[in-house]
Amino acid sequence: GGVEGKFLAADGERLVSDDALQREWVCGARVTPHNTVEPLYQHLFCTNDPTLAFVGIPLRIVPFPQFEMQAQYVTAVYTQRAHLPEREEMERWLLDDLAQRRERGLPRRHAHLLGADQWQYNDTMADLAGCSRLPSVLERIYFCVGRTRAQRADIYKEMPSLEREIRQLLCGASCD
């Protein structure tokens, strides 16, 4: 049993409050003052303890398909169908990713922001996991909805033209 609002720590002996999880190192990962989780390889595996994975960290994404790709990679690693790089290479990936974001002018709080880059990330997850990539129609629907939402955020969900366009995309996808 547990205590509401508390989690059993990795040592199995002490209780840690959910507030402490916001501030302290837990199993080698921490939430930073920029509201990011570090250090993570591929926004997923803790480089200090690769037995710890955080599915669902990236922002501005289509969540469930990405969670599926991340879970596929975690499963492949944990079942030894895939292997993580050495710690130094994972840390180099993290530093390179942060440097690229800085070059693009993104503030540190956007360390896990993917947006349109999520589709390449999802393909990377699938490739690393050795599983099928997501259907490309999901990306096309994402951009279709995004365009319509940018034009008419107040009513885009009720627009018959959007529904028609999505239907056409889905019908075309059955031929892919």
Side-chain angles (χ1 to χ4, degrees):
V3 177
E4 190 172 331
K6 304 265 185 195
F7 299 91
L8 196 59
D11 62 15
E13 307 233 346
R14 60 190 167 90
L15 291 176
V16 178
S17 73
D18 52 0
D19 289 337
L21 289 173
Q22 294 289 321
R23 298 184 307 272
E24 297 179 14
W25 285 88
V26 177
C27 300
R30 71 182 178 100
V31 177
T32 71
H34 303 287
N35 204 29
T36 63
V37 180
E38 291 180 359
L40 297 182
Y41 169 68
Q42 294 287 345
H43 309 285
L44 185 60
F45 285 99
C46 178
T47 62
N48 293 328
D49 180 1
T51 65
L52 182 62
F54 295 88
V55 171
I57 294 290
L59 304 170
R60 293 193 190 153
I61 51 125
V62 179
F64 298 112
Q66 184 164 99
F67 298 168
E68 173 68 19
M69 293 295 96
Q70 289 181 316
Q72 290 283 347
Y73 185 33
V74 170
T75 300
V77 167
Y78 290 169
T79 59
Q80 298 183 347
R81 289 182 287 113
H83 301 282
L84 291 171
E86 294 297 320
R87 182 177 176 174
E88 295 77 25
E89 187 177 333
M90 291 191 292
E91 289 171 347
R92 191 173 23 247
W93 178 90
L94 175 59
L95 293 174
D96 289 347
D97 185 63
L98 290 171
Q100 289 172 7
R101 289 169 185 283
R102 261 192 317 275
E103 288 172 11
R104 291 174 25 204
L106 293 174
R108 186 67 184 258
R109 71 180 182 277
H110 289 166
H112 302 299
L113 178 74
L114 293 184
D117 295 335
Q118 69 185 293
W119 305 104
Q120 179 58 47
Y121 175 82
N122 292 338
D123 287 348
T124 298
M125 290 290 100
D127 295 348
L128 291 169
C131 67
S132 298
R133 291 179 171 189
L134 293 171
S136 60
V137 69
L138 293 178
E139 181 177 359
R140 293 193 301 271
I141 290 172
Y142 171 82
F143 286 110
C144 170
V145 171
R147 277 191 315 275
T148 305
R149 183 177 172 192
Q151 295 165 356
R152 296 298 310 263
D154 54 337
I155 63 164
Y156 78 97
K157 291 181 182 178
E158 290 88 28
M159 294 178 67
S161 60
L162 176 60
E163 187 177 332
R164 270 193 309 279
E165 193 169 349
I166 290 172
R167 229 181 250 137
Q168 289 172 343
L169 288 169
L170 289 171
C171 290
S174 63
C175 300
D176 284 353

